[in-house]
């Protein structure tokens, strides 16, 4: 009777399996023919605080640290956006 009652695997159960195996999903990396990195999605965090936070393996999420990291990342994003707009206007 147990073989008749197989449960359907849900999307959340599949996602949990993937997380347990530590696969990198939803990433895209584009290289040139020379093998140089052109584009990576999601973008790598550039701030020094983000690198320090990855090394610091504390329990839970520290909201103050995360806010500060996002502020620094915004600076890099704004600079890239400015460059993009300047190229567009040329």
């Amino acid at each position: 009777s147990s073989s008749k009652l197989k449960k359907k695997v849900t999307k959340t159960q599949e996602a949990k399996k993937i997380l347990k195996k530590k696969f990198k999903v939803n990433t895209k990396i584009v290289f040139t023919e020379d093998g140089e990195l052109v584009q990576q999605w999601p973008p790598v965090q550039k701030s020094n605080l983000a690198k320090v936070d990855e090394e610091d393996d504390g329990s839970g999420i520290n909201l103050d640290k995360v806010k500060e990291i996002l502020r620094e990342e915004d600076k890099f994003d704004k600079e890239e956006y400015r460059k993009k707009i300047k190229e567009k206007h040329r």
Side-chain angles (χ1 to χ4, degrees):
S1 67
S2 64
S3 62
K4 291 181 182 179
L5 300 175
K6 282 194 171 182
K7 289 187 176 181
K8 185 177 179 183
V9 179
T10 62
K11 288 183 181 181
T12 55
Q13 289 172 337
E14 289 177 4
K16 285 180 182 180
K17 283 182 187 178
I18 290 172
L19 287 174
K20 282 182 184 177
K21 294 181 182 181
K22 297 188 179 183
F23 286 132
K24 292 221 175 191
V25 293
N26 298 333
T27 58
K28 180 179 179 180
I29 301 175
V30 179
F31 293 97
T32 61
E33 295 199 12
D34 299 333
E36 296 178 22
L37 181 67
V38 175
Q39 181 182 3
Q40 181 175 0
W41 184 257
V44 178
Q45 291 184 333
K46 299 175 184 174
S47 68
N48 293 330
L49 287 175
K51 294 175 187 172
V52 171
D53 190 45
E54 288 176 2
E55 293 171 1
D56 183 28
D57 195 21
S59 61
I61 298 172
N62 188 347
L63 293 178
D64 295 329
K65 277 188 179 179
V66 173
K67 284 181 185 179
E68 188 65 33
I69 290 170
L70 289 176
R71 282 190 197 114
E72 283 196 23
E73 289 298 319
D74 283 343
K75 292 176 187 175
F76 291 111
D77 291 341
K78 287 177 185 178
E79 186 65 33
E80 286 182 30
Y81 181 72
R82 283 188 202 120
K83 288 179 185 177
K84 193 175 186 181
I85 294 298
K86 285 181 183 179
E87 288 295 320
K88 187 177 180 182
H89 289 293
R90 288 184 184 173

